[in-house]
Amino acid sequence: MEKPKNGHSKIENLLVFLSAVFFIYHLTFLINAWPDIPNQIAFHYSNGIPDNFRPKYLLIVIPLIGVLMWCLLGFLVRKPEKLNYINLTEANKDLQYMKARKIMSVVQNASFIMLLFANEAFIRGAMGIEFSFQLSISLLLLVICGLTPLYFLIWAFRLKY
């Protein structure tokens, strides 16, 4: 696969771009919605009824955790040799590193966007706005974050050389 000058593949650049776009959108949405968000927001529900509340400042902490997670996972994207591998040989080392880098890039960006969508669902819920779309996207991205490494493990296990 041909890499641009910055060392990232086209898919990695696209994922970083999408993460940046969603992050800017989310921050804009949060800033604009902030005055309309109650000081206490529902954080947990039982049978559809809120039973645990937290201060609205939690809505700032979640994106910060996402940025920290994005940066930490970015280390693994840049240093795929730090990961554990199945059937790693000198012959397939470069192929496995390239594939691991792509997988980690997907997990890095999908998990970041997942947290942003989950946070937006919290914001919308606190404001009494429908949030099922944001929650559904967040759950879908969570599944992608789990299945993507599983795919890589199965692929690596089946390597013959």
Short mmCIF file of all heavy atoms in Angstrom, two decimals, residues 20-51:
data_model
loop_
_atom_site.label_atom_id
_atom_site.label_comp_id
_atom_site.label_asym_id
_atom_site.label_seq_id
_atom_site.Cartn_x
_atom_site.Cartn_y
_atom_site.Cartn_z
N ALA A 20 -11.84 14.63 13.60
CA ALA A 20 -11.70 16.08 13.80
C ALA A 20 -13.01 16.79 13.49
O ALA A 20 -13.44 17.67 14.25
CB ALA A 20 -10.58 16.63 12.92
N VAL A 21 -13.68 16.39 12.41
CA VAL A 21 -14.96 17.02 12.04
C VAL A 21 -16.00 16.77 13.13
O VAL A 21 -16.69 17.69 13.57
CB VAL A 21 -15.46 16.50 10.67
CG1 VAL A 21 -16.91 16.87 10.42
CG2 VAL A 21 -14.57 17.04 9.56
N PHE A 22 -16.12 15.52 13.59
CA PHE A 22 -17.09 15.22 14.65
C PHE A 22 -16.74 15.93 15.95
O PHE A 22 -17.63 16.38 16.68
CB PHE A 22 -17.20 13.71 14.89
CG PHE A 22 -18.04 12.99 13.89
CD1 PHE A 22 -17.48 12.08 13.01
CD2 PHE A 22 -19.41 13.23 13.80
CE1 PHE A 22 -18.26 11.42 12.08
CE2 PHE A 22 -20.20 12.58 12.87
CZ PHE A 22 -19.62 11.67 12.00
N PHE A 23 -15.46 16.04 16.26
CA PHE A 23 -15.05 16.73 17.48
C PHE A 23 -15.42 18.21 17.42
O PHE A 23 -15.96 18.76 18.39
CB PHE A 23 -13.54 16.54 17.70
CG PHE A 23 -13.06 17.09 19.01
CD1 PHE A 23 -13.53 16.61 20.22
CD2 PHE A 23 -12.10 18.09 19.04
CE1 PHE A 23 -13.08 17.11 21.43
CE2 PHE A 23 -11.64 18.60 20.25
CZ PHE A 23 -12.14 18.11 21.44
N ILE A 24 -15.13 18.86 16.31
CA ILE A 24 -15.47 20.28 16.16
C ILE A 24 -16.99 20.47 16.21
O ILE A 24 -17.49 21.37 16.89
CB ILE A 24 -14.88 20.85 14.85
CG1 ILE A 24 -13.36 20.92 14.98
CG2 ILE A 24 -15.46 22.21 14.52
CD1 ILE A 24 -12.63 21.16 13.66
N TYR A 25 -17.72 19.59 15.52
CA TYR A 25 -19.18 19.66 15.57
C TYR A 25 -19.67 19.49 17.01
O TYR A 25 -20.53 20.24 17.48
CB TYR A 25 -19.82 18.59 14.67
CG TYR A 25 -21.26 18.33 15.03
CD1 TYR A 25 -22.26 19.22 14.65
CD2 TYR A 25 -21.61 17.23 15.81
CE1 TYR A 25 -23.58 19.02 15.02
CE2 TYR A 25 -22.92 17.02 16.18
CZ TYR A 25 -23.90 17.90 15.79
OH TYR A 25 -25.20 17.70 16.16
N HIS A 26 -19.13 18.50 17.70
CA HIS A 26 -19.59 18.22 19.06
C HIS A 26 -19.30 19.38 20.00
O HIS A 26 -20.15 19.75 20.81
CB HIS A 26 -18.95 16.93 19.59
CG HIS A 26 -19.44 16.55 20.95
ND1 HIS A 26 -20.71 16.07 21.17
CD2 HIS A 26 -18.84 16.61 22.16
CE1 HIS A 26 -20.87 15.85 22.47
NE2 HIS A 26 -19.74 16.18 23.08
N LEU A 27 -18.10 19.94 19.92
CA LEU A 27 -17.77 21.09 20.77
C LEU A 27 -18.69 22.28 20.48
O LEU A 27 -19.15 22.95 21.41
CB LEU A 27 -16.31 21.50 20.60
CG LEU A 27 -15.28 20.58 21.22
CD1 LEU A 27 -13.88 21.13 20.97
CD2 LEU A 27 -15.51 20.39 22.71
N THR A 28 -18.98 22.51 19.21
CA THR A 28 -19.89 23.59 18.83
C THR A 28 -21.28 23.34 19.41
O THR A 28 -21.90 24.24 19.98
CB THR A 28 -19.95 23.72 17.30
OG1 THR A 28 -18.63 23.94 16.80
CG2 THR A 28 -20.85 24.87 16.87
N PHE A 29 -21.75 22.10 19.26
CA PHE A 29 -23.06 21.73 19.80
C PHE A 29 -23.10 21.90 21.32
O PHE A 29 -24.05 22.47 21.87
CB PHE A 29 -23.40 20.28 19.41
CG PHE A 29 -24.74 19.82 19.90
CD1 PHE A 29 -25.91 20.26 19.29
CD2 PHE A 29 -24.83 18.95 20.97
CE1 PHE A 29 -27.15 19.83 19.75
CE2 PHE A 29 -26.07 18.52 21.43
CZ PHE A 29 -27.23 18.97 20.82
N LEU A 30 -22.06 21.42 21.99
CA LEU A 30 -22.00 21.52 23.46
C LEU A 30 -21.98 22.97 23.92
O LEU A 30 -22.71 23.35 24.85
CB LEU A 30 -20.77 20.77 23.98
CG LEU A 30 -20.55 20.76 25.49
CD1 LEU A 30 -21.72 20.14 26.22
CD2 LEU A 30 -19.27 20.02 25.82
N ILE A 31 -21.18 23.80 23.28
CA ILE A 31 -21.10 25.21 23.66
C ILE A 31 -22.44 25.91 23.45
O ILE A 31 -22.89 26.68 24.32
CB ILE A 31 -19.96 25.92 22.88
CG1 ILE A 31 -18.61 25.41 23.38
CG2 ILE A 31 -20.06 27.43 23.01
CD1 ILE A 31 -17.43 25.79 22.49
N ASN A 32 -23.08 25.65 22.33
CA ASN A 32 -24.37 26.27 22.05
C ASN A 32 -25.48 25.77 22.97
O ASN A 32 -26.39 26.52 23.32
CB ASN A 32 -24.78 26.05 20.58
CG ASN A 32 -23.94 26.87 19.63
OD1 ASN A 32 -23.45 27.93 19.96
ND2 ASN A 32 -23.75 26.36 18.42
N ALA A 33 -25.40 24.50 23.36
CA ALA A 33 -26.44 23.92 24.20
C ALA A 33 -26.22 24.18 25.69
O ALA A 33 -27.15 24.05 26.49
CB ALA A 33 -26.52 22.41 23.95
N TRP A 34 -25.01 24.54 26.07
CA TRP A 34 -24.64 24.65 27.50
C TRP A 34 -25.65 25.44 28.34
O TRP A 34 -26.05 24.98 29.41
CB TRP A 34 -23.24 25.23 27.63
CG TRP A 34 -22.70 25.10 29.02
CD1 TRP A 34 -22.63 26.06 29.97
CD2 TRP A 34 -22.18 23.90 29.61
NE1 TRP A 34 -22.08 25.56 31.13
CE2 TRP A 34 -21.80 24.22 30.93
CE3 TRP A 34 -22.00 22.60 29.17
CZ2 TRP A 34 -21.25 23.29 31.80
CZ3 TRP A 34 -21.45 21.67 30.03
CH2 TRP A 34 -21.08 22.02 31.32
N PRO A 35 -26.11 26.61 27.91
CA PRO A 35 -27.05 27.37 28.76
C PRO A 35 -28.39 26.65 28.95
O PRO A 35 -29.07 26.89 29.96
CB PRO A 35 -27.27 28.68 27.99
CG PRO A 35 -26.16 28.77 27.01
CD PRO A 35 -25.72 27.39 26.72
N ASP A 36 -28.77 25.78 28.04
CA ASP A 36 -30.05 25.08 28.12
C ASP A 36 -29.98 23.75 28.85
O ASP A 36 -31.00 23.09 29.04
CB ASP A 36 -30.60 24.84 26.70
CG ASP A 36 -30.84 26.15 25.97
OD1 ASP A 36 -31.23 27.14 26.62
OD2 ASP A 36 -30.60 26.18 24.74
N ILE A 37 -28.79 23.34 29.25
CA ILE A 37 -28.62 22.06 29.95
C ILE A 37 -28.81 22.31 31.44
O ILE A 37 -28.19 23.21 32.01
CB ILE A 37 -27.22 21.48 29.68
CG1 ILE A 37 -27.01 21.25 28.18
CG2 ILE A 37 -27.02 20.18 30.45
CD1 ILE A 37 -25.58 20.88 27.80
N PRO A 38 -29.67 21.50 32.08
CA PRO A 38 -29.86 21.67 33.54
C PRO A 38 -28.56 21.37 34.29
O PRO A 38 -27.69 20.67 33.78
CB PRO A 38 -30.94 20.66 33.89
CG PRO A 38 -31.21 19.85 32.68
CD PRO A 38 -30.49 20.44 31.53
N ASN A 39 -28.45 21.91 35.49
CA ASN A 39 -27.23 21.72 36.28
C ASN A 39 -27.00 20.27 36.67
O ASN A 39 -25.86 19.86 36.87
CB ASN A 39 -27.26 22.59 37.54
CG ASN A 39 -27.07 24.06 37.20
OD1 ASN A 39 -26.41 24.39 36.21
ND2 ASN A 39 -27.66 24.94 37.98
N GLN A 40 -28.06 19.49 36.79
CA GLN A 40 -27.95 18.05 37.08
C GLN A 40 -28.54 17.29 35.90
O GLN A 40 -29.63 17.61 35.44
CB GLN A 40 -28.72 17.69 38.36
CG GLN A 40 -28.15 18.29 39.63
CD GLN A 40 -26.85 17.62 40.03
OE1 GLN A 40 -26.74 16.40 40.06
NE2 GLN A 40 -25.83 18.43 40.34
N ILE A 41 -27.80 16.29 35.40
CA ILE A 41 -28.28 15.50 34.27
C ILE A 41 -28.44 14.04 34.68
O ILE A 41 -27.72 13.55 35.54
CB ILE A 41 -27.34 15.61 33.05
CG1 ILE A 41 -25.93 15.12 33.40
CG2 ILE A 41 -27.30 17.03 32.51
CD1 ILE A 41 -25.03 14.92 32.21
N ALA A 42 -29.40 13.37 34.05
CA ALA A 42 -29.60 11.95 34.31
C ALA A 42 -28.39 11.19 33.77
O ALA A 42 -27.98 11.38 32.63
CB ALA A 42 -30.88 11.47 33.65
N PHE A 43 -27.84 10.34 34.59
CA PHE A 43 -26.65 9.59 34.21
C PHE A 43 -26.93 8.10 34.11
O PHE A 43 -26.22 7.37 33.45
CB PHE A 43 -25.55 9.85 35.24
CG PHE A 43 -24.21 9.35 34.82
CD1 PHE A 43 -23.51 9.96 33.79
CD2 PHE A 43 -23.63 8.26 35.44
CE1 PHE A 43 -22.26 9.49 33.40
CE2 PHE A 43 -22.40 7.78 35.06
CZ PHE A 43 -21.71 8.40 34.04
N HIS A 44 -27.96 7.64 34.77
CA HIS A 44 -28.33 6.22 34.75
C HIS A 44 -29.84 6.10 34.81
O HIS A 44 -30.51 6.89 35.47
CB HIS A 44 -27.69 5.49 35.94
CG HIS A 44 -27.92 4.03 35.92
ND1 HIS A 44 -28.97 3.43 36.57
CD2 HIS A 44 -27.24 3.04 35.31
CE1 HIS A 44 -28.91 2.12 36.37
NE2 HIS A 44 -27.87 1.86 35.60
N TYR A 45 -30.35 5.11 34.10
CA TYR A 45 -31.79 4.87 34.05
C TYR A 45 -32.09 3.44 34.48
O TYR A 45 -31.34 2.52 34.17
CB TYR A 45 -32.33 5.07 32.62
CG TYR A 45 -32.25 6.48 32.11
CD1 TYR A 45 -31.07 7.00 31.61
CD2 TYR A 45 -33.36 7.29 32.13
CE1 TYR A 45 -31.00 8.30 31.14
CE2 TYR A 45 -33.31 8.59 31.66
CZ TYR A 45 -32.13 9.09 31.17
OH TYR A 45 -32.07 10.37 30.70
N SER A 46 -33.21 3.26 35.17
CA SER A 46 -33.74 1.93 35.47
C SER A 46 -35.17 1.89 34.95
O SER A 46 -35.99 2.73 35.35
CB SER A 46 -33.74 1.65 36.98
OG SER A 46 -32.42 1.52 37.45
N ASN A 47 -35.43 0.97 34.05
CA ASN A 47 -36.75 0.86 33.43
C ASN A 47 -37.20 2.17 32.79
O ASN A 47 -38.36 2.56 32.88
CB ASN A 47 -37.79 0.37 34.44
CG ASN A 47 -37.46 -1.00 34.98
OD1 ASN A 47 -36.97 -1.85 34.23
ND2 ASN A 47 -37.72 -1.22 36.25
N GLY A 48 -36.26 2.88 32.18
CA GLY A 48 -36.58 4.12 31.50
C GLY A 48 -36.76 5.32 32.40
O GLY A 48 -37.08 6.41 31.94
N ILE A 49 -36.53 5.15 33.70
CA ILE A 49 -36.69 6.25 34.67
C ILE A 49 -35.31 6.62 35.22
O ILE A 49 -34.57 5.76 35.69
CB ILE A 49 -37.62 5.82 35.83
CG1 ILE A 49 -38.99 5.44 35.27
CG2 ILE A 49 -37.73 6.92 36.87
CD1 ILE A 49 -39.89 4.77 36.27
N PRO A 50 -34.96 7.91 35.15
CA PRO A 50 -33.65 8.31 35.68
C PRO A 50 -33.56 8.05 37.18
O PRO A 50 -34.47 8.38 37.93
CB PRO A 50 -33.57 9.81 35.39
CG PRO A 50 -34.81 10.20 34.68
CD PRO A 50 -35.70 9.03 34.60
N ASP A 51 -32.45 7.41 37.60
CA ASP A 51 -32.28 7.12 39.02
C ASP A 51 -30.91 7.53 39.54
O ASP A 51 -30.58 7.29 40.69
CB ASP A 51 -32.54 5.64 39.30
CG ASP A 51 -31.56 4.70 38.62
OD1 ASP A 51 -30.70 5.19 37.86
OD2 ASP A 51 -31.65 3.49 38.85
#
